[in-house]
Structure formats: structure tokens, C-alpha cells
Amino acid sequence: MNIENEMTARFNKTEKVDINDSLSVELDFFFDNVMDTVVNYFKEEVAV
């Protein structure tokens, strides 16, 4: 029983790390796109 608990705890830890890493990558991608869009918008506004 202790072995099962240990394995479950390790699996949960690695699963949480993977979720956090993928979320971080998703947020980085999202904010890069948002900032590019905002910068391009203001460049166009200034040009007009």
C-alpha cells in the first residue's frame, strides 16, 4: 500500500509540473501575440 501511495504522489507531482509548464508556454505565446497586435495597432494609428 505504501508503494502505491508513493507512486501516486510521484505521478501527481510530475503531472502538475507538466500542466504548469504547458500553461506557461501557452501564456507566453498568447501575450507575445497580444503585444504584437497592440504594437502594430498603435503603429498604424500613428501613421494615419
Side-chain angles (χ1 to χ4, degrees):
M1 191 66 170
N2 287 338
I3 293 172
E4 290 176 3
N5 290 340
E6 181 70 23
M7 293 299 286
T8 305
R10 287 185 183 181
F11 177 75
N12 287 338
K13 284 180 186 174
T14 57
E15 191 175 53
K16 287 178 184 175
V17 168
D18 289 343
I19 289 170
N20 288 338
D21 286 348
S22 65
L23 181 61
S24 176
V25 170
E26 292 278 337
L27 287 173
D28 287 345
F29 180 72
F30 173 75
F31 282 114
D32 284 345
N33 285 336
V34 168
M35 291 310 295
D36 286 345
T37 304
V38 169
V39 168
N40 287 336
Y41 173 78
F42 282 109
K43 280 183 183 177
E44 291 173 9
E45 285 294 309
V46 170
V48 172

